[in-house]
Amino acid sequence: MSLADAFADGPAFVPYLAAGDPDYESSIEYVEALARGGADVIELGLPFSEPIAEGPTIQEAVVRSLEGGMTPSRFFEFVEELDVDVPLVCMTYYNLIYQYGDEEGPRPFVEKSAEVGIEGFVVPDLPAEESGPLREACDEFGLDLVFIVAPTTKGERLERMREQVSGYVYVQARLGTTGARDDVSDQTDESLARLTDWDVPKAVGFGIKTGEHAERIVSAGADGIIVGSALVDIVAAGHENDEPTGAVADRLEAKARELKQGALRGAGEEARVE
Amino acid sequence: MSADSKFGDYGGQYVPEALMPAIEELTDAYERYVLDNEDGFMDEFRDRLRDFGGRPLPLQRADQLSARYDREVYLKREDLLHGGAHKLNNALGQVLLAKYMGKERIIAETGAGQHGTATAMAAAHLDMPCEIYMGKTDIARQRPNVFRMRTNGAEVTPVTAGRGTLKEAISETMRDWATTVEDTHYVIGSVVGPAPFPAMVRDFQAVISEEAREQIQEKAGRLPDAVLACAGGGSNTMGTFAHFVDDEDVGLYAVEAGGSSLSVDEESGVAPNSASLSTGDEGVLHGARTKILQDADGQIMESHSISAGLDYAGVGPELAHLVDTGRVEAVNVDDDAALEAFHRLSQDEGVIPALETAHAFGYLEKNYSELGDVVVVNVSGRGDKDLETVIEETMERDLSIAPDMSVFREVGGGAL
Ligand SMILES: Cc1ncc(COP(=O)(O)O)c(C=O)c1O
């Protein structure tokens, strides 16, 4: 299933987890739990040592994962081992994409991603201006390149991104870094209003924490919600309290269900997920 | 993307989308105010550098070193700039530019604390609120500068991620900027980061070589054979080289921190040096493509140097390009040689250099015979900030040139 297809059937729930957080085996179970909880697309973080777009929650996840031995090669094994049937997006920073494989440049990384079944990329430190080589490799192997539209993105920049984006557009709900928040930013409505006539699905992320947030954002016109830190928080708490993997996975599944149902309510649809 | 954001393959703008409009705005302001002197910006910058900063600064003949090495050695005395390091040239330029742009708040990162100090001073001078991010390791080893920033009214925010040095401080300042970009200017402290920072910081620092080039012709009657400067990010390096780049006969030497070893421990992800020009590979860090210390997967390594200001896994993209094209020679000296040079310059010339600067003199000591008849060394900063480190590091070693440390041993003291 392609990324755009995942949005065709009502509002999409797009969770994020850092692959390998807090360790490889548990992380596999956590990602699979999200799929059971109703994920329509899963963003898998490949940890980079300098995650400049992330707030404290995901920074700490990155440290746990790297300390657990996660590398790009392990990441690809991880993806192959996953038993989920929703499309996967790799979220990482450009240096890891650029360094992978024998030749310099993004092509080997994209080729390998295609081989293990990844559908697309989100690269937070790669604005449209620098994305030419990655865009080309994505076109060659049929993968999507998702761009982030920030609250500050306007005018000409917006048009440039509209031409380049594929899969879905990641609408950054507020300025700053990733992290769960207790409220929904007013910037969200404004940002969505600027994209009404774009013909790719619009997924909103940054700060979403509850089913109510999800409902509110979908009712404002989003085609999907992206949730990272609120889920990573569950992984972190489980790790700190030495909880059994199964218990943490159950809580992730329940949280996923809450978020998915919130999204469905926002679209005025009956909850279809039990 | 315009061609001038790149230096060969290096440079560019690898930053989160939220920052791109601010970077476009900054590029526009750089072109108008700095390059075209709109509204007399550069005139005001130069006036303030003179009256507040104390420029022009002397090019001093170093008599003892000249005799020791049997050639003419000149010191460009950036340690005499207000605040004690070349950093004020850039900080003052950027804070003033932020003011012209109508920004309301200043943020900056700092490694040695010298850039933070310069930024805090410039912000106080120009009446702007200021917050400085600094790694926890660096706060511990650069306490005098932390206190100077606080004294000038700046907030100092400790960064606890990673090893708590410059790399982490830059990442954290970028995160602040991504939140506050609409009214805040990020005064980046070296010729690193996304375009237009590397070119803009070079232009503010180029006053060093503009003066030095004129002064050496007055004093020596000719251009130098060699110009030396230490390279962390490379701002004093680029500033010292800028007006000599077209003088093909002038050798340009960027002296990096060789740390305790040039070899790298891939397992632990630590490079016991900060020599990214000499030992790094091309990659993308903090907004630019440049030479960086990284492992085979592209994870950034923790760097090491006895001097906090050189302790960084990246380097300016223009400097990387000049090294690749052969115009600049990348060399390095280790911690021990830098410490020895610190004591030598202090004893022979009465100039106590920053540990960063001492690397350039360490290179001079070992390689003077290859440097020609007339040599200019940039004294990028003074060493007051480093005295605690120097005491500790000197006590750990058996240096023939060190002062007698027994007075400290007798009172059982470590740091002051
Ligand atoms: C005195 C001094 N010299 C040199 C440096 C290194 O920076 P750069 O390479 O940008 O000149 C620093 C940095 O803090 C410094 O304080």
Side-chain angles (χ1 to χ4, degrees):
Chain A
M1 198 192 332
S2 81
L3 289 182
D5 291 345
F7 287 79
D9 197 20
F13 165 52
V14 184
Y16 162 97
L17 282 182
D21 171 29
D23 61 73
Y24 187 96
E25 298 302 333
S26 315
S27 186
I28 295 260
E29 289 196 35
Y30 296 163
V31 174
E32 290 173 355
L34 294 177
R36 286 196 300 277
D40 298 290
V41 174
I42 296 176
E43 289 186 0
L44 275 183
L46 165 57
F48 177 52
S49 55
E50 308 307 307
I52 56 172
E54 318 298 348
T57 305
I58 294 178
Q59 282 182 58
E60 283 161 23
V62 165
V63 171
R64 285 190 297 269
S65 171
L66 288 174
E67 281 177 353
M70 184 48 76
T71 63
S73 308
R74 284 289 276 164
F75 177 81
F76 290 128
E77 288 166 27
F78 185 95
V79 171
E80 282 186 306
E81 201 174 317
L82 278 176
D83 184 15
V84 296
D85 66 354
V86 295
L88 300 173
V89 168
C90 168
M91 168 142 177
T92 194
Y93 287 75
Y94 193 55
N95 201 47
L96 297 188
I97 295 178
Y98 182 80
Q99 300 300 342
Y100 186 81
D102 292 338
E103 66 185 275
E104 294 215 315
R107 195 176 176 279
F109 189 92
V110 177
E111 183 173 18
K112 181 72 186 175
S113 298
E115 194 186 305
V116 300
I118 284 169
E119 298 287 346
F121 301 104
V122 181
V123 189
D125 64 344
L126 198 70
E129 279 74 1
E130 302 286 359
S131 65
L134 182 57
R135 175 80 266 175
E136 239 171 68
C138 283
D139 290 346
E140 181 182 345
F141 294 101
L143 270 65
D144 286 316
L145 185 52
V146 174
F147 282 97
I148 299 175
V149 170
T152 46
T153 314
K154 288 169 191 151
E156 238 177 77
R157 295 196 55 76
L158 209 53
E159 285 310 307
R160 223 177 298 157
M161 286 170 74
R162 180 183 186 156
E163 282 162 24
Q164 296 207 35
V165 72
S166 67
Y168 54 95
V169 56
Y170 188 140
V171 183
Q172 183 181 335
R174 61 176 79 231
L175 277 177
T177 51
T178 54
R181 304 296 174 91
D182 291 328
D183 61 334
V184 169
S185 169
D186 296 337
Q187 284 171 332
T188 312
D189 305 79
E190 243 178 78
S191 296
L192 282 170
R194 277 187 271 133
L195 308 179
T196 37
D197 60 343
W198 285 33
D199 58 7
V200 288
K202 294 163 272 296
V204 173
F206 273 50
I208 299 171
K209 185 171 158 184
T210 65
E212 271 83 61
H213 291 171
E215 179 177 355
R216 152 99 174 68
I217 282 168
V218 170
S219 66
D223 301 304
I225 52 155
I226 303 172
V227 182
S229 295
L231 300 166
V232 173
D233 276 335
I234 293 172
V235 173
H239 177 65
E240 271 154 36
N241 303 327
D242 249 336
E243 281 178 76
T245 305
V248 178
D250 287 348
R251 270 196 287 137
L252 283 167
E253 187 179 332
K255 187 71 184 175
R257 197 160 277 138
E258 172 196 330
L259 290 158
K260 174 71 184 181
Q261 287 177 344
L264 289 169
R265 280 198 308 277
E269 294 175 23
E270 286 298 308
R272 292 163 304 181
V273 193
E274 282 317 305
Chain B
M1 127 141 302
S2 64
D4 54 5
S5 83
K6 299 255 160 101
F7 307 96
D9 285 341
Y10 299 114
Q13 299 168 319
Y14 297 84
V15 293
E17 168 58 28
L19 295 177
M20 283 304 291
I23 282 174
E24 286 185 342
E25 186 191 346
L26 182 64
T27 304
D28 178 59
Y30 166 54
E31 285 169 359
R32 281 166 43 210
Y33 296 123
V34 181
L35 299 183
D36 296 340
N37 193 29
E38 194 173 304
D39 299 340
F41 172 85
M42 283 304 281
D43 301 321
E44 180 172 352
F45 171 55
R46 281 166 187 276
D47 283 351
R48 288 182 188 275
L49 264 186
R50 187 186 66 227
D51 294 348
F52 180 64
R55 301 207 78 95
L57 299 168
L59 181 75
Q60 178 208 343
R61 184 175 185 279
D63 294 338
Q64 268 58 250
L65 292 187
S66 294
R68 179 179 177 86
Y69 302 132
D70 190 25
R71 64 209 60 231
E72 299 286 303
V73 177
Y74 290 88
L75 311 181
K76 181 58 179 166
R77 295 292 306 277
E78 291 299 309
D79 60 315
L80 295 178
L81 188 64
H82 180 44
H86 70 288
K87 296 284 177 187
L88 183 71
N89 300 318
N90 169 48
L92 188 61
Q94 285 200 50
V95 176
L96 188 63
L97 188 64
K99 208 146 189 146
Y100 273 59
M101 290 169 71
K103 298 288 172 183
E104 287 162 15
R105 173 173 172 259
I106 294 298
I107 55 173
E109 90 294 340
T110 196
Q114 210 56 47
H115 171 59
T117 297
T119 305
M121 284 183 339
H125 173 63
L126 292 164
D127 194 23
M128 297 269 267
C130 174
E131 181 168 354
I132 309 286
Y133 290 89
M134 187 168 183
K136 61 178 193 300
T137 306
D138 288 336
I139 288 180
R141 60 178 165 172
Q142 298 287 342
R143 292 183 346 138
N145 270 339
V146 177
F147 191 65
R148 287 209 288 171
M149 289 178 246
R150 298 288 296 125
T151 304
N152 282 132
E155 292 297 329
V156 179
T157 305
V159 179
T160 55
R163 211 165 66 80
T165 59
L166 183 55
K167 171 167 76 69
E168 290 79 23
I170 293 181
S171 293
E172 200 54 35
T173 317
M174 287 195 159
R175 293 188 184 104
D176 180 318
W177 201 29
T179 314
T180 58
V181 59
E182 286 167 312
D183 65 2
T184 296
H185 177 67
Y186 174 11
V187 180
I188 206 160
S190 190
V191 286
V192 301
F197 281 106
M200 183 175 73
V201 174
R202 173 205 62 211
D203 289 351
F204 288 139
Q205 292 291 359
V207 62
I208 302 173
S209 50
E210 186 183 311
E211 287 176 8
R213 195 171 183 284
E214 236 173 70
Q215 290 165 324
I216 192 71
Q217 293 187 90
E218 268 167 36
K219 299 214 161 183
R222 49 167 292 195
L223 289 175
D225 295 306
V227 177
L228 274 62
C230 65
S235 69
N236 91 90
T237 324
M238 283 311 307
T240 310
F241 294 170
H243 288 268
F244 292 110
V245 167
D246 291 338
D247 301 317
E248 299 277 340
D249 293 336
V250 178
L252 305 175
Y253 295 83
V255 188
E256 297 193 286
S260 56
S261 163
L262 281 189
S263 67
V264 157
D265 185 349
E266 289 259 354
E267 270 296 290
S268 69
V270 174
N273 61 71
S274 313
S276 33
L277 287 170
S278 313
T279 69
D281 292 317
E282 187 176 332
V284 173
L285 175 63
H286 291 144
R289 177 178 303 206
T290 185
K291 290 215 181 197
I292 57 186
L293 300 176
Q294 57 185 325
D295 68 15
D297 290 329
Q299 303 292 359
I300 309 305
M301 296 222 183
E302 301 294 346
S303 55
H304 164 80
S305 168
I306 193 173
S307 72
L310 301 185
D311 199 346
Y312 179 55
V315 67
E318 184 175 17
L319 197 50
H321 175 63
L322 290 173
V323 168
D324 274 8
T325 58
R327 181 63 192 96
V328 169
E329 188 136 1
V331 296
N332 59 80
V333 301
D334 64 16
D335 288 346
D336 292 351
L339 193 62
E340 266 178 43
F342 171 94
H343 289 298
R344 181 168 299 106
L345 193 67
S346 303
Q347 288 171 27
D348 286 2
E349 298 292 346
V351 172
I352 299 181
L355 277 173
E356 290 82 5
T357 305
H359 285 74
F361 287 94
Y363 187 76
L364 177 64
E365 169 78 11
K366 296 204 163 149
N367 300 279
Y368 62 87
S369 62
E370 291 152 28
L371 296 177
D373 297 329
V374 178
V375 179
V376 171
V377 187
N378 188 41
V379 183
S380 61
R382 68 177 191 226
D384 308 38
K385 70 183 174 64
D386 293 321
L387 294 181
E388 287 195 26
T389 307
V390 171
I391 292 169
E392 271 172 42
E393 298 284 340
T394 303
M395 300 242 277
E396 281 174 18
R397 290 170 171 81
D398 189 20
L399 297 181
S400 58
I401 191 171
D404 180 2
M405 304 297 283
S406 57
V407 59
F408 294 113
R409 292 207 176 85
E410 275 157 29
V411 298
L416 282 178

